[in-house]
Amino acid sequence: MIVIYGIAEQLNPIKAKLSNVIHGAMQSVLGMPEDKRAHRFIPMDKSDFYAPGGRSDAYTVIEINLMAGREIETQKRLIKTLFVDIEQQLGIKPADIEVIIKEQAPYQWGFRGMTGDEVTDLTYKVNV
């Protein structure tokens, strides 16, 4: 589950392309399958979206929720891949991108009527 926040006027026109860039990074770094895209866009009014100093109106926050198990280096590679790919494909500078990875234990995830620690048919690896 990925939640993306930004100023509506900046975020709305690029949602589809940004989703493709994010999912491409998730596939290349984490091995996520094509059909495991779960992105939620939260376009906000500029008056409701305060940014740190030195950021432009393109400032975008990407929260990535994952089941725990990915190695530190894998998570760092995902973050750095997002910085590079977003800048190359959308022209948003790394200073305007904030990526937060939130990990939860598998038993804290619920989907398809079971918890993450009960699932046996994932088509991707969590421990990478």
Side-chain angles (χ1 to χ4, degrees):
M1 177 72 65
I2 300 174
V3 184
I4 302 105
Y5 303 87
I7 295 173
E9 292 78 17
Q10 299 290 321
L11 188 58
N12 283 331
I14 64 165
K15 283 192 283 195
K17 191 163 187 179
L18 182 55
S19 178
N20 288 337
V21 172
I22 292 169
H23 194 61
M26 299 292 288
Q27 288 180 292
S28 68
V29 176
L30 300 182
M32 297 297 288
E34 175 58 39
D35 68 342
K36 293 299 179 195
R37 185 185 308 224
H39 300 173
R40 307 296 180 258
F41 285 87
I42 312 293
M44 301 178 72
D45 187 84
K46 188 174 181 176
S47 66
D48 294 323
F49 193 60
Y50 291 87
R55 305 314 192 274
S56 76
D57 284 351
Y59 178 67
T60 305
V61 177
I62 303 168
E63 290 183 359
I64 303 172
N65 292 281
L66 297 172
M67 276 196 276
R70 276 73 175 199
E71 295 178 10
I72 291 170
E73 289 306 315
T74 301
Q75 293 181 49
K76 290 173 73 171
R77 190 167 64 251
L78 176 60
I79 291 169
K80 291 176 181 181
T81 298
L82 286 167
F83 287 143
V84 169
D85 291 355
I86 291 170
E87 183 174 27
Q88 286 179 347
Q89 296 183 46
L90 291 166
I92 301 173
K93 301 287 182 200
D96 279 328
I97 299 293
E98 188 169 316
V99 179
I100 303 113
I101 295 177
K102 298 178 176 181
E103 286 188 302
Q104 300 89 24
Y107 69 86
Q108 294 173 311
W109 281 80
F111 51 90
R112 298 184 315 200
M114 66 189 94
T115 59
D117 61 332
E118 297 169 330
V119 70
T120 59
D121 64 345
L122 291 179
T123 58
Y124 56 93
K125 295 181 181 184
V126 172
N127 297 314
V128 292

